[in-house]
Amino acid sequence: MPRLTGVKKINIAVFLSGTGSNFKNLIKYSLKKNSKFKIRLAVSNKSNSKGLDYADKYKIDKKIINYLNIKDSEINILNVLKKNKIDVICLAGFMKILTSNFIKRFKGKIINIHPSLLPKYKGLNTHQRVIDNNEMFSGCTVHYVNSKLDSGKIILQKKVKVLKTDTSDKLAKRVLKQEHLLYLKALEKVLTNL
């Protein structure tokens, strides 16, 4: 991996549960010379998460957390984050809600990407809900994480036009393309302000 002499890269952990397309996108960007960050760790609540294949491929440490006991799980995660000197956490399709106690430990340093124009359509099934309500626009939002679901301060948003021919899958694909661009922009913004 190319190293910038004299420039300290910011250590990132990515939390994911699914296919990991945002994770892959963040990894590829992190390998560029002018990137401000390095992904040190992938954390998942699912051992069969496809996204973890990227951790293997790019030789990134990974940690599987079973979440049977949320308090123990979070203590375990915090220890791993400390050991890896993690500065910022990026949630990328992580399907668990972090406790307010955990969030306090990384206040202002946990960001999430959500596939809607928040504050509209928090939670799941966003694309179908957008279509069902005949919205003209959908999009994606990167926001700081707080203790309420998808409610933290918005960092950046990107609008995506909803087409008459859209199914939730078609809309999801177009929104995902924008997610990849928006997450990088938002992360750079957050890192500049650290």
Side-chain angles (χ1 to χ4, degrees):
M1 187 176 130
R3 281 215 124 132
L4 283 177
T5 46
V7 175
K8 186 189 177 299
K9 294 213 173 194
I10 293 165
N11 292 330
I12 301 273
V14 179
F15 286 33
L16 64 143
S17 299
T19 57
S21 77
N22 271 304
F23 178 41
K24 178 186 178 189
N25 191 52
L26 288 168
I27 294 170
K28 285 189 164 179
Y29 188 82
S30 75
L31 298 175
K32 291 184 176 182
K33 246 190 196 157
N34 59 347
S35 158
K36 293 184 178 122
F37 65 92
K38 177 185 180 180
I39 299 173
R40 293 278 310 252
L41 184 67
V43 174
S44 184
N45 61 312
K46 293 183 173 181
S47 58
N48 62 349
S49 165
K50 276 197 166 61
L52 292 175
D53 295 346
Y54 299 121
D56 293 335
K57 184 178 175 184
Y58 291 95
K59 297 181 174 36
I60 294 168
D61 284 348
K62 61 185 181 186
K63 180 78 180 160
I64 317 293
I65 305 289
N66 67 24
Y67 264 86
L68 292 175
N69 176 319
I70 194 156
K71 196 177 173 196
D72 290 350
S73 300
E74 287 193 344
I75 288 168
N76 193 350
I77 297 171
L78 285 165
N79 287 335
V80 175
L81 295 173
K82 192 176 177 183
K83 196 175 107 189
N84 284 277
K85 298 182 171 67
I86 298 301
D87 302 303
V88 174
I89 298 169
C90 293
L91 305 184
F94 186 60
M95 299 315 231
K96 287 284 177 192
I97 294 174
L98 300 169
T99 66
S100 54
N101 218 16
F102 184 93
I103 293 164
K104 268 184 213 148
R105 302 290 276 281
F106 273 84
K107 191 168 168 42
K109 294 180 179 179
I110 307 175
I111 63 174
N112 181 45
I113 184 131
H114 183 74
S116 80
L117 293 172
L118 292 173
K120 285 184 164 186
Y121 306 108
K122 297 173 183 180
L124 301 174
N125 305 318
T126 53
H127 307 299
Q128 192 57 55
R129 287 155 59 206
V130 163
I131 290 167
D132 291 347
N133 287 332
N134 297 312
E135 296 279 6
M136 287 178 66
F137 291 97
S138 185
C140 47
T141 305
V142 179
H143 64 94
Y144 288 104
V145 173
N146 65 15
S147 55
K148 293 192 182 111
L149 179 69
D150 299 329
S151 298
K153 185 179 170 208
I154 291 170
I155 301 163
L156 288 176
Q157 289 187 310
K158 177 69 178 170
K159 272 186 180 180
V160 174
K161 193 163 174 40
V162 179
L163 306 176
K164 286 191 168 45
T165 55
D166 269 336
T167 60
S168 77
D169 281 351
K170 283 182 185 172
L171 181 57
K173 277 185 185 140
R174 288 206 324 284
V175 169
L176 189 61
K177 273 186 184 164
Q178 296 306 321
E179 283 183 37
H180 292 166
L181 300 170
L182 191 72
Y183 214 162
L184 291 172
K185 262 193 204 168
L187 181 56
E188 287 286 320
K189 191 176 171 182
V190 166
L191 298 184
T192 303
N193 295 329
L194 276 185

